[in-house]
Amino acid sequence: MATEKDPPRQSKREKTDVSRHPGRVRPDQPRTDSDLASERQADLSRDAERAEADETKLQSRRDSDVSRERADMGRSRAGRQAERDKILRVEREIADKAIRAERLRADAATEGERRRFHASAKSSAELLSQEQQRHGKTKTALTTREELLAIVSHDLRNPLNNISLVAQNLLEDPKDTKELVSSINRSVEEMLRLIEDLLDIERIAAGKLTLHFEQHDVSEIIKHVVARLQAIAASKGISLRAEPQDVCGYAVCDRSRVMQVLSNLIGNAIKFTPAKGQICVSCQTIGPEGKEVQVSVSDTGEGIAPEKIKTIFERFSQIHDKDRRGIGLGLYIAKMMVEQHPGRIWVESKVGEGSTFHFTLPFRSGAL
């Protein structure tokens, strides 16, 4: 049978809402103006509580900030300044380290560039110097060759002309042949000596000059050379003599080369000594304990100017710039020969009073 419908049950949520907010009306009840006012009042209360809580939190923060500021203010000014100075010092140290590091990098780069520049400049300078030296050697070689050709052509032409003239005289008048043949021999010896000098120059330049050392009597060498050149000196009215050689002994030397040195010195003296002049050859022992023999060739010629003495032993050197009485090799070769022994050679001279050439050789007191 039909029964009356039960009233609808309230949900648990609805019951909770009603219990929590007793002022609210149930949903199935009509809401009145008083209900709406009550609800608005509740919302306002909640907002006021929230605002008050927020204000409390802000106030707490402000109080904390004020406390910190008061604590900071409580510190002394010196402490604050010390802290700021410390911070500033640390910042400066960091900045200084960065600056030093950058400066070191810049200095290293600059030094590297400088080294490369100096290396390049040095290399260029060395190349330029080498090129200048080669150019100088080439120029010297060309000049020397030209001078050599001019000197040789002149000095060879003179004895050849003499030989030609004497030969013509022999053809025309063959009666007096002894003096003419002697003149030819002198010219031939002059040419041979010139050729030998040129060969010696080449040997010296190539480092092929060899000496054969033995003990020889210096007195015997001097007598032999003087005897060989006396006729040439006499033909020019010059007196050539050797002083007594009792003080001389045995020297360790190359006999033929010492004779060549002595012949060159005497030959020069004959060239530059006028008629009725005198040439004297002497020797003596010198040095500590007399361990050297000094040979001297003195003449009464015109002498040598001081500025020429400095260059007299150089190759192609002449006493007078336009003087063609020699090839200018005799003294140079003599210097090379003496220094190979080893020994020394030098000259003492005064203009108008003659000259004296000296050279030394290693000495031994007696024969082995």
Side-chain angles (χ1 to χ4, degrees), residues 2-8:
T3 61
E4 292 182 359
K5 293 183 179 180
D6 296 329

Side-chain angles (χ1 to χ4, degrees), residues 44-207:
L44 290 175
S45 297
R46 285 195 303 273
D47 293 339
E49 291 175 358
R50 291 173 180 172
E52 184 178 358
D54 292 340
E55 180 63 25
T56 300
K57 292 179 181 179
L58 291 175
Q59 185 61 41
S60 178
R61 291 177 183 175
R62 285 194 292 270
D63 292 343
S64 178
D65 293 339
V66 170
S67 297
R68 283 196 300 271
E69 290 178 358
R70 287 177 179 175
D72 292 339
M73 291 177 66
R75 289 185 299 176
S76 65
R77 179 178 296 179
R80 292 195 300 273
Q81 184 64 36
E83 186 175 354
R84 286 195 294 269
D85 291 344
K86 182 179 179 181
I87 295 172
L88 181 60
R89 186 165 55 252
V90 172
E91 291 177 350
R92 287 178 178 174
E93 288 178 356
I94 295 173
D96 290 344
K97 287 181 180 179
I99 291 172
R100 285 195 295 270
E102 182 62 28
R103 188 173 297 164
L104 288 174
R105 287 193 293 271
D107 290 345
T110 302
E111 184 63 24
E113 288 294 329
R114 185 181 292 113
R115 284 197 296 268
R116 286 191 290 272
F117 173 78
H118 287 167
S120 177
K122 183 178 179 181
S123 178
S124 299
E126 289 176 352
L127 290 175
L128 178 60
S129 177
Q130 292 174 2
E131 185 63 27
Q132 289 175 341
Q133 290 177 0
R134 286 193 291 267
H135 177 72
K137 289 180 180 179
T138 302
K139 184 178 180 180
T140 301
L142 292 175
T143 303
T144 301
R145 182 176 298 177
E146 292 175 358
E147 291 178 349
L148 181 61
L149 290 175
I151 293 171
V152 170
S153 63
H154 179 276
D155 288 353
L156 284 177
R157 186 178 293 114
N158 285 340
L160 283 174
N161 288 338
N162 184 60
I163 292 173
S164 177
L165 180 61
V166 172
Q168 185 66 31
N169 290 336
L170 284 173
L171 291 174
E172 294 177 357
D173 187 8
K175 296 180 181 179
D176 189 10
T177 60
K178 185 176 181 179
E179 180 61 28
L180 295 177
V181 171
S182 297
S183 178
I184 290 176
N185 284 335
R186 288 193 295 270
S187 297
V188 170
E189 288 180 359
E190 185 177 351
M191 293 177 65
L192 291 175
R193 186 166 57 251
L194 173 61
I195 294 172
E196 189 63 28
D197 286 347
L198 294 175
L199 293 175
D200 284 337
I201 287 293
E202 289 300 318
R203 295 188 189 103
I204 293 171

Side-chain angles (χ1 to χ4, degrees), residues 278-295:
Q278 296 181 359
I279 300 174
C280 179
V281 183
S282 62
C283 73
Q284 59 180 331
T285 58
I286 62 170
E289 300 179 3
K291 291 184 178 180
E292 287 182 311
V293 176
Q294 176 179 306
V295 180

